[in-house]
Amino acid sequence: FLLSLKLESKTKGRFQKQICQVVLDHFEKQYTTELGDTWTSVRDVLTHPLCWQYAVLLNKFSQSSELENTLRVKGYHPAFRGPLPYFPSSLKCYIRRTPGRFPAQKHQAGKLKEYYLLNAASLLPVLALEVKDGEDVLDLCAAPGGKSVAILQCAYPGNFHCNEYDDLRSRWLKQTIESFIPDPLINLITVSKLDGRQIGDLQPELYDKVLVDAPCSNDRSWLFSSDIQQAMLRLIQRKELPSLQFQLLRSAIKALRPGGSLVYSTCTLSKAENSDVIDLILNSCSNVMPIDISEMAKGVSQEFAFLSGTQKHELLVLPEKGRAWGPMYVAKLKKI
């Protein structure tokens, strides 16, 4: 009984995070302007972690039919059931309407994990990228590694380059890859710690597909900044993020072969870091064009709520109750 009480208080403690008022006030001002009335319902989800949902991405390299049965018993069902332009049968992700998190698996050296817990919207950039076997792929800002793992559930790239500039996050990325990918395949993956802004000059026209899951103001985690000083600093640095994102995108375009495509994604609602950055790229780079992803959006509209009025080459997932995924911005471009 005492043990169950301890576990209960631990669980409560994890969910009773303190909202950082400074960040909330900042978001309130910005997103009321950008999202209008929609912001009220989005804010209700973002500020109540108890209503957050988590998806379970199965690892095809460590398959277990028992796990799928357990998930079904617990009320999970396969995600992405609508017709999609690209959906490899090897990609298996389970979701459920009710909130809560499936227990995580600990990292054990030499043992592959059976599943990866993530926000289901994180798979949309991977589906938009449409990686096929044998293609050369660059994941420019790869940590913590969930999207890299998801790409490898979809296809076997010829050359797969996972890059992460930050030292701590790079170690996290390596551990994720070790936890999910078997040895023979790991040897085909290059993990680097290069400055993403320079990769295009270092490796021009080397890749068929590039994913730029850019550093951004992560709305979910920023709302719960435990340290006021850190929160203030983040809000100051927030103004510099669009410039960094633009430079990363420009580098990604240089790294792409003509005819290759790139997907840009963030986990923020901020227009300055999303459509404004893409508009700037389209206006300043004559060798890229937008790619329509509205069919994909239509195919997943059962699972996700989207901001209306966006362009055909972009989408923005809005968290709502019962579909508490996102925020996730996705845009697709092609190099001419």
Side-chain angles (χ1 to χ4, degrees), residues 149-174:
V149 166
I151 285 169
L152 289 165
Q153 303 302 312
C154 296
Y156 294 98
N159 167 28
F160 192 24
H161 181 176
C162 300
N163 181 68
E164 178 54 54
Y165 185 48
D166 182 86
D167 196 50
L168 187 68
R169 286 172 64 80
S170 181
R171 288 203 293 274
W172 190 3
L173 169 66
K174 277 181 182 163

PDB file of all heavy atoms in Angstrom, residues 149-174:
ATOM      1  N   VAL A 149      15.174   7.618 -35.963  1.00  0.00           N
ATOM      2  CA  VAL A 149      14.678   6.247 -35.745  1.00  0.00           C
ATOM      3  C   VAL A 149      13.467   5.992 -36.641  1.00  0.00           C
ATOM      4  O   VAL A 149      13.351   4.943 -37.274  1.00  0.00           O
ATOM      5  CB  VAL A 149      14.332   6.024 -34.250  1.00  0.00           C
ATOM      6  CG1 VAL A 149      13.511   4.756 -34.049  1.00  0.00           C
ATOM      7  CG2 VAL A 149      15.602   5.967 -33.410  1.00  0.00           C
ATOM      8  N   ALA A 150      12.575   6.990 -36.727  1.00  0.00           N
ATOM      9  CA  ALA A 150      11.358   6.840 -37.541  1.00  0.00           C
ATOM     10  C   ALA A 150      11.704   6.695 -39.028  1.00  0.00           C
ATOM     11  O   ALA A 150      11.081   5.901 -39.740  1.00  0.00           O
ATOM     12  CB  ALA A 150      10.429   8.027 -37.317  1.00  0.00           C
ATOM     13  N   ILE A 151      12.701   7.455 -39.493  1.00  0.00           N
ATOM     14  CA  ILE A 151      13.131   7.355 -40.896  1.00  0.00           C
ATOM     15  C   ILE A 151      13.585   5.925 -41.188  1.00  0.00           C
ATOM     16  O   ILE A 151      13.258   5.350 -42.230  1.00  0.00           O
ATOM     17  CB  ILE A 151      14.258   8.376 -41.202  1.00  0.00           C
ATOM     18  CG1 ILE A 151      13.667   9.792 -41.300  1.00  0.00           C
ATOM     19  CG2 ILE A 151      15.011   8.026 -42.487  1.00  0.00           C
ATOM     20  CD1 ILE A 151      14.707  10.917 -41.333  1.00  0.00           C
ATOM     21  N   LEU A 152      14.320   5.341 -40.240  1.00  0.00           N
ATOM     22  CA  LEU A 152      14.838   3.979 -40.432  1.00  0.00           C
ATOM     23  C   LEU A 152      13.743   2.911 -40.300  1.00  0.00           C
ATOM     24  O   LEU A 152      13.935   1.770 -40.719  1.00  0.00           O
ATOM     25  CB  LEU A 152      15.986   3.703 -39.456  1.00  0.00           C
ATOM     26  CG  LEU A 152      17.273   4.468 -39.779  1.00  0.00           C
ATOM     27  CD1 LEU A 152      18.240   4.446 -38.605  1.00  0.00           C
ATOM     28  CD2 LEU A 152      17.955   3.905 -41.033  1.00  0.00           C
ATOM     29  N   GLN A 153      12.613   3.275 -39.725  1.00  0.00           N
ATOM     30  CA  GLN A 153      11.460   2.354 -39.725  1.00  0.00           C
ATOM     31  C   GLN A 153      10.820   2.334 -41.115  1.00  0.00           C
ATOM     32  O   GLN A 153      10.164   1.371 -41.490  1.00  0.00           O
ATOM     33  CB  GLN A 153      10.392   2.783 -38.700  1.00  0.00           C
ATOM     34  CG  GLN A 153      10.852   2.903 -37.265  1.00  0.00           C
ATOM     35  CD  GLN A 153      11.451   1.618 -36.702  1.00  0.00           C
ATOM     36  OE1 GLN A 153      10.894   0.544 -36.833  1.00  0.00           O
ATOM     37  NE2 GLN A 153      12.617   1.749 -36.079  1.00  0.00           N
ATOM     38  N   CYS A 154      11.006   3.426 -41.859  1.00  0.00           N
ATOM     39  CA  CYS A 154      10.351   3.591 -43.168  1.00  0.00           C
ATOM     40  C   CYS A 154      11.156   3.002 -44.322  1.00  0.00           C
ATOM     41  O   CYS A 154      10.586   2.470 -45.271  1.00  0.00           O
ATOM     42  CB  CYS A 154      10.135   5.077 -43.466  1.00  0.00           C
ATOM     43  SG  CYS A 154       9.015   5.902 -42.333  1.00  0.00           S
ATOM     44  N   ALA A 155      12.488   3.177 -44.280  1.00  0.00           N
ATOM     45  CA  ALA A 155      13.318   2.802 -45.429  1.00  0.00           C
ATOM     46  C   ALA A 155      14.760   2.576 -44.995  1.00  0.00           C
ATOM     47  O   ALA A 155      15.139   2.904 -43.870  1.00  0.00           O
ATOM     48  CB  ALA A 155      13.256   3.908 -46.480  1.00  0.00           C
ATOM     49  N   TYR A 156      15.557   2.033 -45.913  1.00  0.00           N
ATOM     50  CA  TYR A 156      16.995   1.837 -45.675  1.00  0.00           C
ATOM     51  C   TYR A 156      17.766   2.819 -46.558  1.00  0.00           C
ATOM     52  O   TYR A 156      18.004   2.526 -47.730  1.00  0.00           O
ATOM     53  CB  TYR A 156      17.409   0.395 -45.999  1.00  0.00           C
ATOM     54  CG  TYR A 156      16.794  -0.621 -45.083  1.00  0.00           C
ATOM     55  CD1 TYR A 156      15.651  -1.333 -45.460  1.00  0.00           C
ATOM     56  CD2 TYR A 156      17.341  -0.879 -43.822  1.00  0.00           C
ATOM     57  CE1 TYR A 156      15.077  -2.267 -44.611  1.00  0.00           C
ATOM     58  CE2 TYR A 156      16.769  -1.818 -42.968  1.00  0.00           C
ATOM     59  CZ  TYR A 156      15.635  -2.501 -43.358  1.00  0.00           C
ATOM     60  OH  TYR A 156      15.070  -3.411 -42.513  1.00  0.00           O
ATOM     61  N   PRO A 157      18.131   3.986 -46.014  1.00  0.00           N
ATOM     62  CA  PRO A 157      18.863   4.956 -46.834  1.00  0.00           C
ATOM     63  C   PRO A 157      20.207   4.386 -47.304  1.00  0.00           C
ATOM     64  O   PRO A 157      20.762   3.478 -46.667  1.00  0.00           O
ATOM     65  CB  PRO A 157      19.088   6.130 -45.877  1.00  0.00           C
ATOM     66  CG  PRO A 157      18.131   5.932 -44.755  1.00  0.00           C
ATOM     67  CD  PRO A 157      17.925   4.456 -44.649  1.00  0.00           C
ATOM     68  N   GLY A 158      20.714   4.922 -48.425  1.00  0.00           N
ATOM     69  CA  GLY A 158      22.036   4.502 -48.887  1.00  0.00           C
ATOM     70  C   GLY A 158      23.088   5.006 -47.917  1.00  0.00           C
ATOM     71  O   GLY A 158      23.886   4.259 -47.355  1.00  0.00           O
ATOM     72  N   ASN A 159      23.048   6.314 -47.687  1.00  0.00           N
ATOM     73  CA  ASN A 159      23.948   6.972 -46.744  1.00  0.00           C
ATOM     74  C   ASN A 159      23.070   7.793 -45.813  1.00  0.00           C
ATOM     75  O   ASN A 159      22.283   8.611 -46.277  1.00  0.00           O
ATOM     76  CB  ASN A 159      24.928   7.855 -47.543  1.00  0.00           C
ATOM     77  CG  ASN A 159      25.696   8.822 -46.654  1.00  0.00           C
ATOM     78  OD1 ASN A 159      25.924   8.567 -45.479  1.00  0.00           O
ATOM     79  ND2 ASN A 159      26.078   9.961 -47.223  1.00  0.00           N
ATOM     80  N   PHE A 160      23.152   7.539 -44.518  1.00  0.00           N
ATOM     81  CA  PHE A 160      22.311   8.266 -43.557  1.00  0.00           C
ATOM     82  C   PHE A 160      23.214   9.046 -42.604  1.00  0.00           C
ATOM     83  O   PHE A 160      23.967   8.465 -41.835  1.00  0.00           O
ATOM     84  CB  PHE A 160      21.420   7.284 -42.793  1.00  0.00           C
ATOM     85  CG  PHE A 160      20.325   7.961 -41.980  1.00  0.00           C
ATOM     86  CD1 PHE A 160      19.854   9.218 -42.320  1.00  0.00           C
ATOM     87  CD2 PHE A 160      19.754   7.329 -40.888  1.00  0.00           C
ATOM     88  CE1 PHE A 160      18.839   9.840 -41.595  1.00  0.00           C
ATOM     89  CE2 PHE A 160      18.738   7.928 -40.140  1.00  0.00           C
ATOM     90  CZ  PHE A 160      18.280   9.180 -40.508  1.00  0.00           C
ATOM     91  N   HIS A 161      23.122  10.369 -42.693  1.00  0.00           N
ATOM     92  CA  HIS A 161      23.970  11.250 -41.900  1.00  0.00           C
ATOM     93  C   HIS A 161      23.117  11.947 -40.835  1.00  0.00           C
ATOM     94  O   HIS A 161      22.214  12.716 -41.158  1.00  0.00           O
ATOM     95  CB  HIS A 161      24.628  12.278 -42.834  1.00  0.00           C
ATOM     96  CG  HIS A 161      25.549  13.224 -42.146  1.00  0.00           C
ATOM     97  ND1 HIS A 161      26.291  14.169 -42.824  1.00  0.00           N
ATOM     98  CD2 HIS A 161      25.876  13.390 -40.833  1.00  0.00           C
ATOM     99  CE1 HIS A 161      27.019  14.871 -41.958  1.00  0.00           C
ATOM    100  NE2 HIS A 161      26.767  14.411 -40.744  1.00  0.00           N
ATOM    101  N   CYS A 162      23.376  11.644 -39.575  1.00  0.00           N
ATOM    102  CA  CYS A 162      22.670  12.282 -38.452  1.00  0.00           C
ATOM    103  C   CYS A 162      23.617  13.278 -37.790  1.00  0.00           C
ATOM    104  O   CYS A 162      24.665  12.884 -37.284  1.00  0.00           O
ATOM    105  CB  CYS A 162      22.230  11.239 -37.430  1.00  0.00           C
ATOM    106  SG  CYS A 162      21.124  10.011 -38.113  1.00  0.00           S
ATOM    107  N   ASN A 163      23.240  14.524 -37.784  1.00  0.00           N
ATOM    108  CA  ASN A 163      24.121  15.573 -37.251  1.00  0.00           C
ATOM    109  C   ASN A 163      23.485  16.259 -36.044  1.00  0.00           C
ATOM    110  O   ASN A 163      22.289  16.520 -36.036  1.00  0.00           O
ATOM    111  CB  ASN A 163      24.401  16.609 -38.340  1.00  0.00           C
ATOM    112  CG  ASN A 163      25.340  17.702 -37.848  1.00  0.00           C
ATOM    113  OD1 ASN A 163      26.518  17.454 -37.601  1.00  0.00           O
ATOM    114  ND2 ASN A 163      24.826  18.910 -37.682  1.00  0.00           N
ATOM    115  N   GLU A 164      24.299  16.547 -35.040  1.00  0.00           N
ATOM    116  CA  GLU A 164      23.844  17.322 -33.877  1.00  0.00           C
ATOM    117  C   GLU A 164      25.015  18.118 -33.326  1.00  0.00           C
ATOM    118  O   GLU A 164      26.011  17.545 -32.885  1.00  0.00           O
ATOM    119  CB  GLU A 164      23.274  16.395 -32.803  1.00  0.00           C
ATOM    120  CG  GLU A 164      22.817  17.117 -31.548  1.00  0.00           C
ATOM    121  CD  GLU A 164      21.830  18.248 -31.810  1.00  0.00           C
ATOM    122  OE1 GLU A 164      20.798  18.009 -32.455  1.00  0.00           O
ATOM    123  OE2 GLU A 164      22.104  19.386 -31.375  1.00  0.00           O
ATOM    124  N   TYR A 165      24.884  19.420 -33.363  1.00  0.00           N
ATOM    125  CA  TYR A 165      25.976  20.330 -32.994  1.00  0.00           C
ATOM    126  C   TYR A 165      26.249  20.351 -31.487  1.00  0.00           C
ATOM    127  O   TYR A 165      27.390  20.360 -31.040  1.00  0.00           O
ATOM    128  CB  TYR A 165      25.613  21.726 -33.506  1.00  0.00           C
ATOM    129  CG  TYR A 165      26.680  22.787 -33.328  1.00  0.00           C
ATOM    130  CD1 TYR A 165      28.003  22.539 -33.701  1.00  0.00           C
ATOM    131  CD2 TYR A 165      26.355  24.048 -32.813  1.00  0.00           C
ATOM    132  CE1 TYR A 165      28.980  23.519 -33.558  1.00  0.00           C
ATOM    133  CE2 TYR A 165      27.325  25.032 -32.676  1.00  0.00           C
ATOM    134  CZ  TYR A 165      28.632  24.760 -33.043  1.00  0.00           C
ATOM    135  OH  TYR A 165      29.591  25.728 -32.903  1.00  0.00           O
ATOM    136  N   ASP A 166      25.169  20.314 -30.704  1.00  0.00           N
ATOM    137  CA  ASP A 166      25.297  20.412 -29.242  1.00  0.00           C
ATOM    138  C   ASP A 166      25.881  19.127 -28.652  1.00  0.00           C
ATOM    139  O   ASP A 166      25.424  18.024 -28.966  1.00  0.00           O
ATOM    140  CB  ASP A 166      23.915  20.688 -28.635  1.00  0.00           C
ATOM    141  CG  ASP A 166      23.954  20.842 -27.129  1.00  0.00           C
ATOM    142  OD1 ASP A 166      24.201  21.944 -26.642  1.00  0.00           O
ATOM    143  OD2 ASP A 166      23.746  19.818 -26.429  1.00  0.00           O
ATOM    144  N   ASP A 167      26.886  19.272 -27.815  1.00  0.00           N
ATOM    145  CA  ASP A 167      27.639  18.135 -27.295  1.00  0.00           C
ATOM    146  C   ASP A 167      26.761  17.164 -26.488  1.00  0.00           C
ATOM    147  O   ASP A 167      26.769  15.954 -26.722  1.00  0.00           O
ATOM    148  CB  ASP A 167      28.800  18.649 -26.424  1.00  0.00           C
ATOM    149  CG  ASP A 167      29.839  17.557 -26.183  1.00  0.00           C
ATOM    150  OD1 ASP A 167      30.262  16.925 -27.175  1.00  0.00           O
ATOM    151  OD2 ASP A 167      30.198  17.328 -25.017  1.00  0.00           O
ATOM    152  N   LEU A 168      26.009  17.703 -25.546  1.00  0.00           N
ATOM    153  CA  LEU A 168      25.159  16.873 -24.683  1.00  0.00           C
ATOM    154  C   LEU A 168      24.074  16.169 -25.506  1.00  0.00           C
ATOM    155  O   LEU A 168      23.840  14.966 -25.365  1.00  0.00           O
ATOM    156  CB  LEU A 168      24.508  17.746 -23.592  1.00  0.00           C
ATOM    157  CG  LEU A 168      23.722  17.010 -22.516  1.00  0.00           C
ATOM    158  CD1 LEU A 168      24.651  16.175 -21.642  1.00  0.00           C
ATOM    159  CD2 LEU A 168      22.958  18.008 -21.641  1.00  0.00           C
ATOM    160  N   ARG A 169      23.449  16.920 -26.400  1.00  0.00           N
ATOM    161  CA  ARG A 169      22.384  16.360 -27.241  1.00  0.00           C
ATOM    162  C   ARG A 169      22.944  15.324 -28.224  1.00  0.00           C
ATOM    163  O   ARG A 169      22.272  14.362 -28.579  1.00  0.00           O
ATOM    164  CB  ARG A 169      21.660  17.485 -27.989  1.00  0.00           C
ATOM    165  CG  ARG A 169      20.742  18.303 -27.069  1.00  0.00           C
ATOM    166  CD  ARG A 169      20.186  19.520 -27.780  1.00  0.00           C
ATOM    167  NE  ARG A 169      19.328  19.171 -28.910  1.00  0.00           N
ATOM    168  CZ  ARG A 169      18.058  18.791 -28.823  1.00  0.00           C
ATOM    169  NH1 ARG A 169      17.470  18.725 -27.637  1.00  0.00           N
ATOM    170  NH2 ARG A 169      17.353  18.509 -29.903  1.00  0.00           N
ATOM    171  N   SER A 170      24.194  15.523 -28.644  1.00  0.00           N
ATOM    172  CA  SER A 170      24.841  14.571 -29.548  1.00  0.00           C
ATOM    173  C   SER A 170      25.022  13.213 -28.866  1.00  0.00           C
ATOM    174  O   SER A 170      24.815  12.154 -29.478  1.00  0.00           O
ATOM    175  CB  SER A 170      26.193  15.117 -30.011  1.00  0.00           C
ATOM    176  OG  SER A 170      26.802  14.216 -30.883  1.00  0.00           O
ATOM    177  N   ARG A 171      25.376  13.240 -27.570  1.00  0.00           N
ATOM    178  CA  ARG A 171      25.523  11.989 -26.807  1.00  0.00           C
ATOM    179  C   ARG A 171      24.167  11.290 -26.668  1.00  0.00           C
ATOM    180  O   ARG A 171      24.063  10.074 -26.751  1.00  0.00           O
ATOM    181  CB  ARG A 171      26.131  12.271 -25.427  1.00  0.00           C
ATOM    182  CG  ARG A 171      27.606  12.646 -25.497  1.00  0.00           C
ATOM    183  CD  ARG A 171      28.320  12.365 -24.176  1.00  0.00           C
ATOM    184  NE  ARG A 171      27.881  13.213 -23.095  1.00  0.00           N
ATOM    185  CZ  ARG A 171      28.374  14.437 -22.840  1.00  0.00           C
ATOM    186  NH1 ARG A 171      29.329  14.924 -23.609  1.00  0.00           N
ATOM    187  NH2 ARG A 171      27.940  15.136 -21.823  1.00  0.00           N
ATOM    188  N   TRP A 172      23.137  12.104 -26.464  1.00  0.00           N
ATOM    189  CA  TRP A 172      21.763  11.612 -26.352  1.00  0.00           C
ATOM    190  C   TRP A 172      21.349  10.945 -27.680  1.00  0.00           C
ATOM    191  O   TRP A 172      20.755   9.860 -27.705  1.00  0.00           O
ATOM    192  CB  TRP A 172      20.860  12.802 -26.030  1.00  0.00           C
ATOM    193  CG  TRP A 172      19.446  12.486 -25.649  1.00  0.00           C
ATOM    194  CD1 TRP A 172      18.875  11.260 -25.492  1.00  0.00           C
ATOM    195  CD2 TRP A 172      18.421  13.445 -25.371  1.00  0.00           C
ATOM    196  NE1 TRP A 172      17.545  11.393 -25.134  1.00  0.00           N
ATOM    197  CE2 TRP A 172      17.240  12.709 -25.057  1.00  0.00           C
ATOM    198  CE3 TRP A 172      18.362  14.846 -25.351  1.00  0.00           C
ATOM    199  CZ2 TRP A 172      16.036  13.340 -24.737  1.00  0.00           C
ATOM    200  CZ3 TRP A 172      17.168  15.465 -25.037  1.00  0.00           C
ATOM    201  CH2 TRP A 172      16.019  14.713 -24.722  1.00  0.00           C
ATOM    202  N   LEU A 173      21.692  11.577 -28.790  1.00  0.00           N
ATOM    203  CA  LEU A 173      21.397  11.042 -30.121  1.00  0.00           C
ATOM    204  C   LEU A 173      22.066   9.675 -30.326  1.00  0.00           C
ATOM    205  O   LEU A 173      21.424   8.717 -30.776  1.00  0.00           O
ATOM    206  CB  LEU A 173      21.869  12.035 -31.192  1.00  0.00           C
ATOM    207  CG  LEU A 173      21.891  11.550 -32.644  1.00  0.00           C
ATOM    208  CD1 LEU A 173      20.481  11.278 -33.160  1.00  0.00           C
ATOM    209  CD2 LEU A 173      22.588  12.577 -33.542  1.00  0.00           C
ATOM    210  N   LYS A 174      23.347   9.594 -29.966  1.00  0.00           N
ATOM    211  CA  LYS A 174      24.088   8.333 -30.128  1.00  0.00           C
ATOM    212  C   LYS A 174      23.431   7.214 -29.318  1.00  0.00           C
ATOM    213  O   LYS A 174      23.303   6.083 -29.786  1.00  0.00           O
ATOM    214  CB  LYS A 174      25.546   8.515 -29.677  1.00  0.00           C
ATOM    215  CG  LYS A 174      26.417   9.128 -30.761  1.00  0.00           C
ATOM    216  CD  LYS A 174      27.848   9.265 -30.285  1.00  0.00           C
ATOM    217  CE  LYS A 174      28.698   9.934 -31.365  1.00  0.00           C
ATOM    218  NZ  LYS A 174      29.960  10.449 -30.842  1.00  0.00           N
TER     219      LYS A 174
END
